[in-house]
Amino acid sequence: MKIDIVSVFPEYFEVMNLSLMGKAQAKGLLEIKAHNLRDWTHDVHHSVDDTPVGGGAGMVMKPEVWSECLDELLGFSRPSESSALSGTPVLIFPNPSAPLFTQRDATELSHADHLLFGCGRYEGYDARIPDYYRSQGVDVREYSIGDYVLNGGEVAVSVMLEAITRLMPGFMGNPDSIVEESYTGEGALLEHRQYTKPAVWRGISVPEVLLSGNHGKVDRFRRDEALTRTNEIRPDLIEALDCKALDKADRKTLMALGWEVSATHPRKLD
Ligand code: 6GU
């Protein structure tokens, strides 16, 4: 997978050379290039932003600099050529006012050949930038990574990239470890809690059933814990479950937690 990132702080992405992401680059599985947006400016100040039209605080990133940069990285010199281009990258803009980036998006994007991220700073970027590339047939996405505000898109891009690349075949040492995780699949639940040895530590025992060697009981215990924890912490995820996908024991557990499970999705009884 080829990954281009445009930012006014390209050095920020030197961390991508560490850990599993660095190994994946060394293996040739990933090729990450961070570009400096200011390389596409022509003025002496290398300015990339301007005041917001209509007034307000802060600065907005100018469309002209971005378009010179993105035209080049997307490989089209004239707009009319773009629609004929196949294999153009997915163009992604981090944006705190966009839909939430989820595991589903990470899974989908892990199959892409080429991703191009455009990191905004200041109060954001001119809204015509994503609109324009969409109008040219580019697959443009805007994502937020959560309900809080960051100074720029760089952190959000590194979060998205880590979520995406670890799902690529050959990226993880042990691919099994991503199968049972939280937020995967249709019936997304928070994961059960984990323990390792010793069985008693500082007077605290691991749950007895995990030592039983009875895989059926262990699976059931973990599933019930996942349901119970999700009910407490993220009831919205319970509401999104498909009742048809629940087994008899799941239903019993959810009913004990105050859910009605006879409709399409569980419904909390008051
Ligand atoms: Cl994608 N960008 C910024 N600047 N802040 C955020 C965000 C993105 N997602 C959550 N907060």
Side-chain angles (χ1 to χ4, degrees):
M1 183 190 287
K2 211 171 155 256
I3 295 161
D4 287 295
I5 308 165
V6 181
S7 162
V8 289
F9 298 116
E11 316 81 40
Y12 180 87
F13 295 97
E14 279 165 24
V15 289
M16 301 288 158
N17 297 324
L18 303 175
S19 186
L20 281 174
M21 204 90 95
K23 284 209 184 94
Q25 290 199 78
K27 278 195 275 186
L29 205 60
L30 274 184
E31 191 195 327
I32 305 179
K33 244 189 248 168
H35 308 267
N36 194 334
L37 178 66
R38 295 194 201 277
D39 291 348
W40 281 271
T41 57
H42 302 292
D43 62 313
V44 285
H45 301 293
H46 303 288
S47 60
V48 294
D49 58 337
D50 207 336
T51 54
V53 174
M59 298 292 269
V60 179
M61 293 187 112
K62 294 148 70 72
E64 305 96 315
V65 180
W66 274 104
S67 59
E68 284 205 32
C69 166
L70 296 175
D71 283 355
E72 183 179 327
L73 295 177
L74 288 164
F76 46 96
S77 39
R78 274 180 294 125
S80 56
E81 287 175 21
S82 63
S83 46
L85 269 177
S86 59
T88 52
V90 181
L91 178 55
I92 304 166
F93 294 101
N95 179 341
S97 307
L100 270 186
F101 180 79
T102 66
Q103 189 68 22
R104 183 186 298 268
D105 300 303
T107 304
E108 187 199 353
L109 293 168
S110 72
H111 301 293
D113 296 323
H114 190 177
L115 304 177
L116 170 51
F117 290 94
C119 298
R121 277 263 146 187
Y122 320 107
E123 294 304 306
Y125 45 84
D126 191 299
R128 291 169 295 181
I129 304 169
D131 285 353
Y132 171 77
Y133 287 99
R134 238 177 239 126
S135 79
Q136 298 300 305
V138 178
D139 182 355
V140 181
R141 317 281 183 96
E142 293 172 278
Y143 292 117
S144 163
I145 62 160
D147 294 340
Y148 37 78
V149 179
L150 306 168
N151 289 330
E154 284 77 7
V155 173
V157 167
S158 66
V159 167
M160 290 188 262
L161 267 182
E162 183 150 324
I164 293 165
T165 55
R166 64 193 292 283
L167 298 173
M168 293 168 60
F171 186 92
M172 296 287 263
N174 175 12
D176 291 346
S177 59
I178 61 176
V179 175
E180 287 179 23
E181 287 171 323
S182 301
Y183 301 117
T184 51
E186 284 301 309
L189 294 175
L190 303 187
E191 210 180 350
H192 59 80
R193 307 201 306 165
Q194 297 279 12
Y195 304 89
T196 185
K197 290 169 279 281
V200 183
W201 171 77
R202 295 197 171 180
I204 312 169
S205 301
V206 304
E208 189 90 38
V209 58
L210 299 178
L211 302 164
S212 70
N214 182 329
H215 296 299
K217 278 196 173 156
V218 168
D219 288 349
R220 191 63 247 166
F221 174 82
R222 287 178 165 169
R223 176 80 179 164
D224 283 340
E225 194 177 68
L227 289 165
T228 307
R229 289 175 59 75
T230 308
N231 170 64
E232 278 168 26
I233 301 167
R234 291 291 305 277
D236 58 304
L237 295 178
I238 300 282
E239 277 170 13
L241 291 173
D242 176 1
C243 285
K244 284 202 297 291
L246 300 171
D247 68 19
K248 225 168 139 185
D250 291 339
R251 287 164 202 264
K252 193 173 154 217
T253 302
L254 285 175
M255 277 160 26
L257 293 168
W259 293 86
E260 186 225 55
V261 287
S262 48
T264 316
H265 301 287
R267 194 173 63 88
K268 188 83 187 182
L269 300 170
D270 8 71

